Every structure is written in structure tokens, then in C-alpha cells.
Amino acid sequence: MIQAIVAILIIFAISIIWSEVKQHREKTQKKQGDVIDISEAWIDSSHLPYRCREYLLNDAERNLYYSIQHVLQGSRYMVCPKVRLADIVDLPIRTKNRQEYLNRVRIRTVDLLICEFHELSPVLALTLEGKSSARREKLSDQFTANALKASGLPHIVYNRLNLPDQDRLLSDLSKAGLILTGSHQLSE
């Protein structure tokens, strides 16, 4: 009889310990996100809510784009609007927390990217600030600037309410290392 009671107490103690271990594991494990069904089972793909934007660039971005286009005319560079940061910077395969770093650059863009024309290699990133004073946007802008700096890609930030004139633009691009030749050169 005593052996049966001891056996029951041991089984009871093991079940309590197992329950505690299980709860501890659940608390310490990383939570996995919900599985998202990307099949068309949950939507009617013949009636998607997307629409084409009227403009790719806002007024300030468009003005800066055309100014840079004009300055780069005849040079070995071209300007690309709205480029994802993930398409500009790269991460070594064995980077610790690589996926987290990738997720952070996937959601960010630079307003304009100047590339070498033939190879399409990035030479200079340009961003506009001043649209919002929101802390979140400022942190995002700072992260983008830090990522560009870490990658070694030069970066210029302009205030969207105070865009540079052609002379300042030429000067800034030259200081950033672009070799501008032709009719749009800075006069010496």
C-alpha cells in the first residue's frame, strides 16, 4: 500500500515539474508569427483594391529629380527615383541577426539614387527631410543615414522646403565625389 502511495506521489511530482518546465519553455521561446495564407483562397483576386498612383514622386522629390537630371546631363551618371535601401546595401551571409537587419532595410527607401550609367552601380544617395516632425519618421531617417554610412555610400540630405539651386547642387555633388564634366561643370 505504501509503495502505491509513493508511486502516485512520484507521478504527481513529475507531472507538476513537467508542467512548470513546459510553461518556462513557452515563455522563453521566440514567438513565431501567424502563418499567412498567400494563396488566393482568402481573397477574390479578380477584384483587388489596388490602384495606380497618380504620381511616383511628390512635388519636392520631382523638383530635385529634374534639377539633378539637368546637372547630370551628358555625364556618366543617371538618377533613379525611390530605390529601396535593401537594393542598395548588402549584408554578409553570416551576419548575426541578419534577418532583423534585412527586415529593417526592406521597408526603407532613398528618394533619389545616383548611379554610374553603364554598370548601374550606386554612387550617391539623396534623401529629403522636413515633411514631418514625427519622432518615428526621424528615427527612420536616422537609421537610413546610419545604414548608408556603414555601407560606405555617400549620402546627402536636403530639406524639402529649401531645395538647393543648381550651383549648390553642382558643388554638393562634386564634394560627394562625382566627376561632372561638360556644360554643367562648376566654373573655376
Side-chain angles (χ1 to χ4, degrees), residues 92-160:
I93 297 293
R94 299 197 190 279
T95 300
K96 185 177 178 181
N97 300 321
R98 186 173 194 271
Q99 191 59 49
E100 177 64 26
Y101 287 113
L102 285 173
N103 290 342
R104 290 179 184 268
V105 296
R106 279 190 183 128
I107 60 172
R108 290 175 171 80
T109 61
V110 296
D111 295 311
L112 301 170
L113 179 69
I114 297 177
C115 294
E116 190 277 326
F117 186 79
H118 294 289
E119 298 296 323
L120 288 178
S121 50
V123 229
L124 177 66
L126 296 110
T127 55
L128 296 174
E129 68 178 9
K131 184 166 98 174
S132 168
S133 61
R135 182 177 185 270
R136 185 179 195 137
E137 187 173 318
K138 286 182 179 185
L139 288 173
S140 179
D141 290 348
Q142 187 60 51
F143 181 87
T144 299
N146 290 343
L148 290 167
K149 182 178 180 181
S151 76
L153 183 67
H155 175 224
I156 297 176
V157 179
Y158 289 118
N159 184 309
R160 68 181 57 250

Side-chain angles (χ1 to χ4, degrees), residues 21-185:
V21 167
K22 192 175 176 183
Q23 285 179 353
H24 179 71
R25 281 185 185 167
E26 288 174 359
K27 288 179 183 177
T28 58
Q29 282 182 339
K30 280 188 176 178
K31 292 195 173 198
Q32 300 293 326
D34 293 334
V35 175
I36 298 173
D37 180 7
I38 59 171
S39 69
E40 294 182 15
W42 63 279
I43 60 168
D44 177 4
S45 64
S46 63
H47 293 84
L48 296 174
Y50 304 111
R51 61 188 172 107
C52 182
R53 288 184 174 202
E54 192 170 349
Y55 305 105
L56 177 63
L57 303 174
N58 63 38
D59 290 340
E61 293 165 340
R62 194 171 42 252
N63 288 339
L64 184 59
Y65 173 83
Y66 287 130
S67 294
I68 292 173
Q69 276 289 89
H70 180 73
V71 167
L72 296 180
Q73 189 174 5
S75 74
R76 65 184 203 202
Y77 306 105
M78 63 179 292
V79 61
C80 305
K82 299 270 189 192
V83 180
R84 284 184 336 141
L85 192 54
D87 294 327
I88 302 169
V89 300
D90 198 14
L91 282 168
I93 297 293
R94 299 197 190 279
T95 300
K96 185 177 178 181
N97 300 321
R98 186 173 194 271
Q99 191 59 49
E100 177 64 26
Y101 287 113
L102 285 173
N103 290 342
R104 290 179 184 268
V105 296
R106 279 190 183 128
I107 60 172
R108 290 175 171 80
T109 61
V110 296
D111 295 311
L112 301 170
L113 179 69
I114 297 177
C115 294
E116 190 277 326
F117 186 79
H118 294 289
E119 298 296 323
L120 288 178
S121 50
V123 229
L124 177 66
L126 296 110
T127 55
L128 296 174
E129 68 178 9
K131 184 166 98 174
S132 168
S133 61
R135 182 177 185 270
R136 185 179 195 137
E137 187 173 318
K138 286 182 179 185
L139 288 173
S140 179
D141 290 348
Q142 187 60 51
F143 181 87
T144 299
N146 290 343
L148 290 167
K149 182 178 180 181
S151 76
L153 183 67
H155 175 224
I156 297 176
V157 179
Y158 289 118
N159 184 309
R160 68 181 57 250
L161 302 176
N162 186 22
L163 294 176
D165 60 19
Q166 187 171 338
D167 289 337
R168 179 173 165 216
L169 192 55
L170 278 165
S171 173
D172 290 348
L173 296 178
S174 294
K175 286 177 188 173
L178 275 70
I179 301 166
L180 300 171
T181 58
S183 61
H184 302 294
Q185 259 184 9

